[in-house]
Amino acid sequence: MAASPIVIFQALPGGQQPSGTTVEALKQQHGFQRALFGVKMEDPDTGILCTEWSSLAAARSFAASPTATSLAAKETLGFVAAGDKQQDVLSVTSAPCTEIFTAFGAEEGFVANVGRFVAAVDANQPEGYKGASYAQSVHLAAEPSAQQDAVVRMLIGWTSREAHIEAKAKPGAIQDNIQELRVLRKSVDLFHAEFKEL
């Protein structure tokens, strides 16, 4: 079975898409598969660059490269698909709006919780829901200097940010299963973005 690709999310200051020269240099990196860019709807001064790599070695090579350094990212996180279906992590970014939920300090069992949440929402889909995928963090440094907290990221596609807000407020699969996301982690972050392939 082929290895799951590694996805790197980088938060870029200024909210501006990387230059054409930078994107071209990015695409020349060994193991590059695709790149997406979107702006945080809740913070337009922050852009989110998502890049997909064929292997952990390729992702680590990029993370240590001058191209990555030139992006001056405020945050760089690497992930590999989690769950029974081994979903393509970026499968839902083609939706008009992508919700990005991140749990920091995830404990053992949290990935399974996310899987149950996604399965429940898949089975009883709210209006505007376009699918979900989730992933767990990988170390991008070849030799991590310290034990890093586990991070789990869930992506949900929606027809709009408003559709997500409305779905959360109504009785249904989200309200019935939200407890799965409220335990076994230290903190969470949530934002929305509209991604386009570079």
Side-chain angles (χ1 to χ4, degrees):
M1 188 172 75
S4 294
I6 305 297
V7 175
I8 297 178
F9 291 85
Q10 294 174 284
L12 307 184
Q16 295 296 313
Q17 180 175 310
S19 70
T21 303
T22 300
V23 171
E24 202 50 46
L26 175 66
K27 291 181 177 181
Q28 298 303 315
Q29 294 274 332
H30 173 72
F32 171 84
Q33 294 193 319
R34 58 178 161 164
L36 306 164
F37 182 80
V39 174
K40 278 190 180 183
M41 293 181 181
E42 292 80 356
D43 177 15
D45 286 332
T46 300
I48 303 296
L49 177 65
C50 305
T51 52
E52 187 176 82
W53 303 90
S54 60
S55 66
L56 180 56
R60 285 176 169 168
S61 178
F62 163 68
S65 72
T67 302
T69 303
S70 72
L71 293 167
K74 298 186 284 186
E75 177 185 68
T76 299
L77 295 170
F79 295 91
V80 63
D84 295 337
K85 292 189 284 187
Q86 284 290 296
Q87 300 102 321
D88 169 4
V89 179
L90 298 181
S91 61
V92 299
T93 56
S94 59
C97 173
T98 303
E99 168 197 353
I100 300 179
F101 169 94
T102 310
F104 298 93
E107 299 175 23
E108 187 174 347
F110 185 75
V111 171
N113 285 12
V114 176
R116 284 192 293 271
F117 177 86
V118 168
V121 178
D122 272 341
N124 185 17
Q125 298 183 6
E127 188 173 348
Y129 174 81
K130 293 291 187 181
S133 62
Y134 56 106
Q136 52 197 348
S137 59
V138 293
H139 296 303
L140 292 175
E143 296 180 9
S145 56
Q147 182 60 38
Q148 299 173 11
D149 280 350
V151 181
V152 176
R153 179 158 277 184
M154 176 176 63
L155 281 66
I156 302 180
W158 296 96
T159 52
S160 67
R161 180 170 174 253
E162 291 68 32
H164 173 214
I165 293 169
E166 288 175 13
K168 284 198 304 182
K170 294 178 180 177
I174 293 178
Q175 286 191 7
D176 292 347
N177 296 278
I178 196 66
Q179 186 60 27
E180 298 279 14
L181 307 181
R182 290 181 172 162
V183 295
L184 301 179
R185 83 306 188 270
K186 292 179 181 176
S187 61
V188 298
D189 177 59
L190 189 149
F191 62 90
H192 300 81
E194 179 183 343
F195 287 104
K196 301 291 184 188
E197 189 151 1
L198 298 179

